[in-house]
Amino acid sequence: MRGAKNGWTLLLLVLAGVVLGGFIGSLAANVSGLSWLNYGQAFGLENPLVLSLGLVVLTFGLTIKITIASIIGIVLAILIYRWI
């Protein structure tokens, strides 16, 4: 099974690491000793882009918040991928 690594597995593990890291960071935001885990930067579109085509209205928006906990989650996901 060690030779069955592929890019999709890595992508899923990294996405899981980002989500779990962000979740842990938001939980730790109110804990005095762990609030540093929620420190980070958000970037993206502040106001969504709206495209009105008459019959259909499309709204585009993307905001990404990178925190210390999500970076730790990414690193752990890569380590798990290498270990599998």
Side-chain angles (χ1 to χ4, degrees):
M1 185 78 181
R2 283 191 170 266
K5 294 182 182 181
N6 62 25
W8 292 108
T9 306
L10 178 61
L11 179 67
L12 287 174
L13 282 173
V14 167
L15 287 176
V18 168
V19 170
L20 289 174
F23 180 68
I24 291 170
S26 66
L27 287 178
N30 297 327
V31 179
S32 63
L34 299 175
S35 62
W36 59 273
L37 287 172
N38 200 35
Y39 177 76
Q41 183 69 32
F43 58 92
L45 297 172
E46 289 184 11
N47 298 320
L49 176 68
V50 178
L51 177 63
S52 178
L53 301 174
L55 183 62
V56 177
V57 177
L58 299 173
T59 305
F60 299 99
L62 177 68
T63 302
I64 298 173
K65 183 177 180 187
I66 302 294
T67 63
I68 299 294
S70 63
I71 292 172
I72 292 171
I74 291 170
V75 169
L76 287 175
I78 293 171
L79 289 174
I80 290 170
Y81 177 74
R82 292 183 70 192
W83 181 64
I84 298 177

